Amino acid sequence: MRIPEPTVERLLQLSRVLENLKAESISSSEIEAKTGWSSYTIRKDISFLQENLGEASGYNRLSLLAAIKRALALGTPWKFCVVGLGRLGSAYLNFPAFADEGFELVAGFDSSVNRIEILRSPVPLYPAYKMGEVISRFSIDLALLCVPAASAQGAADKLVASGIRGIINFAPVVLEVPERVMTSNVFVVDELRSMAAKLACLVD
Amino acid sequence: MRIPEPTVERLLQLSRVLENLKAESISSSEIEAKTGWSSYTIRKDISFLQENLGEASGYNRLSLLAAIKRALALGTPWKFCVVGLGRLGSAYLNFPAFADEGFELVAGFDSSVNRIEILRSPVPLYPAYKMGEVISRFSIDLALLCVPAASAQGAADKLVASGIRGIINFAPVVLEVPERVMTSNVFVVDELRSMAAKLACLVD
DNA sequence: CGGTGTGAATCTATTCACAGCA
DNA sequence: TGCTGTGAATAGATTCACACCG
């Protein structure tokens, strides 16, 4: 059965709550207290997993966690690359947290050959023109796009042509990509703007 | 009139599209081609601004931009601070883009006095125990929370006690805060997980 | 005609209410 | 009694259809 998108989002966050949980069991109202989502919503979300996980005491931490990971394919390994090795991009080359969650960083790309030669990296680095070849050779699924705003669309076009399935975009630019490619924007100024806008318009 | 939250989100992104637009006018179907949102949705979104902005040729770039900024309070200045001055947090101390968008960075905090003394920063730095005093003295609205996961909840508690209105959280932890405080999570591993989950469950 | 603006209809998500279980 | 699970009811967002305007 199809799981609605907001539910996917909450289940992902819920899995983090469960990972950091000390108790071995938790009820929907305890989750409500921790997250702010109503217990109804949480129970409905969990019911999409269709596993009848609830006990009289609530949900068992580990079985619920396992069920979420199974349903959301969090166990399966994904390959990703970093495009643009400036300050931000090169920081992610040395980030250990990815592997813990099943994401394997297999390549870094930059248009400056000079930069590639200078950088020390645990991951092979390639010049930008090899993107197509490398992405299809290693079947890379996802990309972190860390290039400056002015080059973002061009780099995204190359990624799309290489058969990438999703792009996490750090440049403050709305990318134009075909429908089959998923994008998600991570830009801190926009987070501030969005929060300010909500504080100003929604909460009054 | 209250603007629905998804509309706020799209208008924010639309303002970025308009800023990067060369043409002086754009129609709802051209916006659809650029963003993937249906032209109906876009027109409805714009209609929430209640300004009858449309011409026969579409929307005038600058008037639309101005109307969005007015409605979403993007002109008003906001003050924010950075909490946790490790690799990520200290990078944001030297980030010029914030000021362009009306966000004034007024303070940095870290629990290590040593680190505060060593760091060169264009913004005054304070030890963590001064958070309450500094935040209320300068009326700081928002915070970037860049501390390690283990200290995130503790730091968030201090921010809440200091009267912060919103927290942008970079630690992979779901924060427990009172309802009046807005939070938003920016964690790249979660972006990857979310994209992987959607690719695996929604798109089939 | 090309466009916008907007009530009505549809689709989606959340909330509720309550049955069922330990 | 306190919990889950879930159909039904409500609330909300998107899509549609069409009036209207230059």
Side-chain angles (χ1 to χ4, degrees):
Chain A
M1 197 220 281
R2 192 188 142 271
I3 302 179
E5 183 160 341
T7 295
V8 169
E9 223 64 55
R10 282 189 300 266
L11 288 175
L12 275 167
Q13 295 217 47
L14 179 56
S15 73
R16 279 237 177 268
V17 171
L18 295 172
E19 276 163 7
N20 297 323
L21 190 70
K22 272 152 268 165
E24 274 318 302
S25 169
I26 191 168
S27 71
S28 57
S29 41
E30 289 168 320
I31 299 175
E32 170 167 355
K34 282 193 175 289
T35 60
W37 314 315
S38 82
S39 64
Y40 317 123
T41 302
I42 292 154
R43 290 208 300 281
K44 176 79 80 188
D45 286 349
I46 292 173
S47 80
F48 280 107
L49 304 175
Q50 299 192 304
E51 304 215 18
N52 279 46
L53 293 151
E55 315 268 309
S57 54
Y59 301 93
N60 175 272
R61 186 178 81 96
L62 293 176
S63 351
L64 180 51
L65 196 49
I68 293 174
K69 291 198 168 173
R70 216 174 307 130
L72 302 190
L74 293 181
T76 63
W78 295 83
K79 291 184 182 174
F80 75 107
C81 62
V82 175
V83 178
L85 303 174
R87 187 174 193 147
L88 188 65
S90 59
Y92 288 126
L93 290 179
N94 301 285
F95 218 71
F98 295 121
D100 303 344
E101 307 273 353
F103 293 94
E104 189 193 353
L105 176 54
V106 296
F109 298 98
D110 199 285
S111 54
S112 152
V113 177
N114 191 28
R115 188 179 273 168
I116 288 169
E117 282 168 355
I118 287 168
L119 274 172
R120 284 282 109 236
S121 156
V123 168
L125 305 182
Y126 305 90
Y129 69 82
K130 288 206 175 153
M131 247 190 246
E133 181 206 327
V134 173
I135 287 174
S136 64
R137 172 147 46 100
F138 293 111
S139 308
I140 295 176
D141 307 291
L142 306 170
L144 304 187
L145 185 56
C146 306
V147 303
S151 352
Q153 183 62 54
D157 292 344
K158 276 192 198 162
L159 285 167
V160 167
S162 312
I164 208 81
R165 298 187 62 196
I167 298 174
I168 295 177
N169 171 36
F170 291 80
V173 166
V174 177
L175 297 175
E176 290 183 56
V177 297
E179 230 178 315
R180 78 187 145 76
V181 176
M182 193 165 266
T183 64
S184 116
N185 298 310
V186 177
F187 197 59
V188 179
V189 172
D190 275 4
E191 292 294 324
L192 285 170
R193 300 209 309 170
S194 157
M195 194 167 275
K198 281 177 206 156
L199 286 172
C201 330
L202 292 175
V203 191
D204 60 18
Chain B
M1 195 220 281
R2 193 188 143 272
I3 302 179
E5 183 161 339
T7 294
V8 170
E9 223 64 54
R10 281 189 300 266
L11 288 175
L12 276 167
Q13 296 218 47
L14 178 56
S15 74
R16 278 236 179 268
V17 171
L18 295 172
E19 277 162 7
N20 296 323
L21 190 70
K22 271 151 270 164
E24 273 317 302
S25 169
I26 190 168
S27 72
S28 56
S29 39
E30 288 168 322
I31 299 175
E32 170 168 355
K34 280 192 174 293
T35 61
W37 314 316
S38 83
S39 64
Y40 316 123
T41 302
I42 291 154
R43 290 208 302 279
K44 174 83 76 193
D45 286 348
I46 292 173
S47 80
F48 280 106
L49 304 174
Q50 300 191 304
E51 304 215 19
N52 279 45
L53 293 151
E55 314 270 309
S57 55
Y59 301 93
N60 176 271
R61 187 179 81 97
L62 292 176
S63 349
L64 180 51
L65 197 49
I68 293 175
K69 291 197 167 173
R70 218 173 306 129
L72 302 190
L74 294 181
T76 63
W78 295 83
K79 292 183 182 176
F80 76 106
C81 62
V82 176
V83 178
L85 303 173
R87 186 176 194 146
L88 189 65
S90 60
Y92 288 126
L93 291 179
N94 300 287
F95 217 72
F98 295 122
D100 303 344
E101 306 275 352
F103 293 94
E104 189 192 354
L105 176 54
V106 296
F109 299 98
D110 198 287
S111 54
S112 153
V113 177
N114 190 29
R115 188 179 275 170
I116 287 169
E117 283 168 355
I118 288 169
L119 273 173
R120 284 282 109 237
S121 157
V123 167
L125 305 182
Y126 305 91
Y129 69 83
K130 288 204 174 155
M131 247 190 248
E133 181 206 328
V134 173
I135 287 174
S136 65
R137 172 148 45 99
F138 293 110
S139 308
I140 295 176
D141 307 292
L142 306 171
L144 304 187
L145 185 56
C146 306
V147 302
S151 351
Q153 183 62 54
D157 292 345
K158 276 193 197 160
L159 285 167
V160 168
S162 312
I164 207 81
R165 298 186 63 195
I167 298 174
I168 294 177
N169 171 36
F170 292 80
V173 166
V174 177
L175 298 175
E176 288 184 58
V177 298
E179 230 178 315
R180 79 187 144 77
V181 177
M182 193 165 268
T183 64
S184 115
N185 298 311
V186 177
F187 198 58
V188 179
V189 173
D190 275 3
E191 292 293 326
L192 285 171
R193 300 209 307 170
S194 156
M195 195 166 275
K198 282 176 206 154
L199 286 172
C201 329
L202 291 176
V203 190
D204 59 17

